């Protein structure tokens, strides 16, 4: 089983799923290019490159037909890898994915226009911005250790410009490119959504569900976009039930 995180996260946010799912599956995970412990050097870290990275990693790992679980941009990356790189997955599990336009918060749009100005703010203001932004992804306040683990990769010398770079490169053209292909998906697919997601509303999940034939939609109550941190037990139960079911 391959787990793919989203933005502005890293594999750190996957740890609740890794701990539980590794009891049943051999888990593969990594940091997207430009995130976490991956290179944050100036360059292309858009969705347009992430599927190529995943495709190459699957070759490197020697994985054929794994189950893939993608959250946020990780969901888009999994879909692009399947549809554009013709990668076969045994099952596809999407958690609050970036998949159906329109998407992108007002903050995203503002950073896209003023990336250099944001990258030049004092460090203490930058850290406050990142903390405030991350917290809005959760329905309830995050524990301090969790918030620190999410924010810390973005507060280093390289992490600061990298944070604004990945936002500035976020573009709905990368999902618009594959959205017309969703009805061609025949791989068993489950969509999980935090009911209180304020970043990508549940309506987008319902649209995606309608576009992918035979897909399953499960809504997790009292959770926002960061449902993997807020309700990991419910997610794991849904994932294991779906993976064990005959399709």
């Amino acid at each position: 089983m391959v787990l793919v995180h989203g933005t502005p996260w890293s594999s750190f946010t996957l740890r609740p799923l890794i701990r539980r799912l590794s009891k049943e599956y051999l888990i593969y995970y990594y940091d997207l290019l430009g995130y976490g412990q991956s290179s944050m050097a100036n360059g292309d870290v858009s969705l347009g490159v992430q599927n190529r990275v995943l495709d190459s990693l699957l070759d490197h790992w020697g994985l054929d037909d794994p189950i893939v679980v993608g959250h946020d941009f990780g969901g888009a990356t999994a879909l692009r890898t399947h549809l554009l790189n013709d990668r076969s997955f045994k099952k596809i599990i999407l958690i609050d994915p970036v998949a159906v336009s329109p998407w992108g918060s007002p903050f995203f749009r503002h950073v896209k226009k003023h990336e250099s100005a944001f990258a030049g703010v004092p460090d203490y203001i930058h850290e406050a911005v990142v903390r405030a932004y991350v917290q809005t992804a959760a329905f309830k306040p995050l524990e301090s250790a969790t918030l620190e683990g999410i924010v810390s990769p973005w507060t280093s010398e390289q992490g600061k410009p990298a944070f604004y770079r990945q936002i500035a490169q976020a573009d709905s053209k990368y999902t618009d490119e594959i959205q017309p292909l969703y009805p061609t998906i025949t791989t068993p697919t489950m969509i999980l959504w935090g009911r209180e997601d304020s970043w990508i509303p549940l309506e987008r999940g319902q649209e995606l569900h309608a576009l992918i034939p035979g897909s399953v939609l499960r809504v997790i109550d009292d959770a926002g976009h960061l449902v993997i941190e807020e309700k990991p037990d419910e997610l794991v139960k849904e994932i294991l039930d779906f993976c064990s079911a005959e399709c």
Side-chain angles (χ1 to χ4, degrees), residues 4-138:
V4 190
H5 71 81
T7 178
W9 327 117
S10 68
S11 58
F12 172 82
T13 59
L14 299 174
R15 72 202 183 289
L17 302 187
I18 293 169
R19 282 198 297 265
R20 294 162 174 81
L21 293 171
S22 61
K23 296 177 182 178
E24 304 292 336
Y25 293 92
L26 178 60
I27 303 297
Y28 291 78
Y29 64 97
Y30 67 106
D31 285 335
L32 293 172
L33 182 63
Y35 297 74
Q37 297 182 60
S38 288
S39 172
M40 289 184 172
N42 191 12
D44 185 0
V45 296
S46 70
L47 284 171
V49 75
Q50 301 297 352
N51 57 290
R52 302 202 300 270
V53 172
L54 177 56
D55 185 49
S56 295
L57 273 174
L58 293 172
D59 281 338
H60 176 71
W61 289 330
L63 296 182
D64 181 33
D65 205 32
I67 297 168
V68 64
V69 180
H71 173 237
D72 184 85
F73 267 28
T77 297
L79 288 168
R80 286 177 58 84
T81 305
H82 178 57
L83 294 167
L84 301 182
N85 300 97
D86 199 28
R87 275 287 177 177
S88 175
F89 294 121
K90 185 176 182 180
K91 294 189 177 183
I92 298 172
I93 299 165
L94 307 169
I95 305 172
D96 295 71
V98 171
V100 177
S101 292
W103 54 266
S105 67
F107 180 67
F108 254 60
R109 294 192 292 271
H110 195 65
V111 170
K112 285 174 73 70
K113 293 180 180 179
H114 308 286
E115 177 192 357
S116 59
F118 275 92
V121 300
D123 291 348
Y124 72 94
I125 293 179
H126 165 69
E127 183 170 347
V129 167
V130 178
R131 286 180 179 276
Y133 176 59
V134 165
Q135 186 61 69
T136 63

Side-chain angles (χ1 to χ4, degrees), residues 129-179:
V129 167
V130 178
R131 286 180 179 276
Y133 176 59
V134 165
Q135 186 61 69
T136 63
F139 179 52
K140 296 180 180 179
L142 295 169
E143 294 183 358
S144 58
T146 298
L147 185 58
E148 181 62 31
I150 293 171
V151 170
S152 60
W154 302 118
T155 57
S156 67
E157 184 178 349
Q158 280 197 315
K160 181 180 174 182
F163 176 77
Y164 300 110
R165 182 182 307 122
Q166 52 89 20
I167 293 178
Q169 293 183 15
D171 197 312
S172 60
K173 69 181 182 182
Y174 298 114
T175 53
D176 292 343
E177 182 180 11
I178 58 172
Q179 189 168 325

Side-chain angles (χ1 to χ4, degrees), residues 148-213:
E148 181 62 31
I150 293 171
V151 170
S152 60
W154 302 118
T155 57
S156 67
E157 184 178 349
Q158 280 197 315
K160 181 180 174 182
F163 176 77
Y164 300 110
R165 182 182 307 122
Q166 52 89 20
I167 293 178
Q169 293 183 15
D171 197 312
S172 60
K173 69 181 182 182
Y174 298 114
T175 53
D176 292 343
E177 182 180 11
I178 58 172
Q179 189 168 325
L181 303 177
Y182 294 161
T184 70
I185 295 175
T186 58
T187 301
T189 301
M190 180 170 67
I191 303 161
L192 293 157
W193 218 277
R195 187 179 297 279
E196 308 298 335
D197 190 338
S198 63
W199 281 21
I200 311 178
L202 176 57
E203 287 77 9
R204 295 288 180 273
Q206 293 166 334
E207 291 178 45
L208 181 62
H209 171 48
L211 287 170
I212 301 178

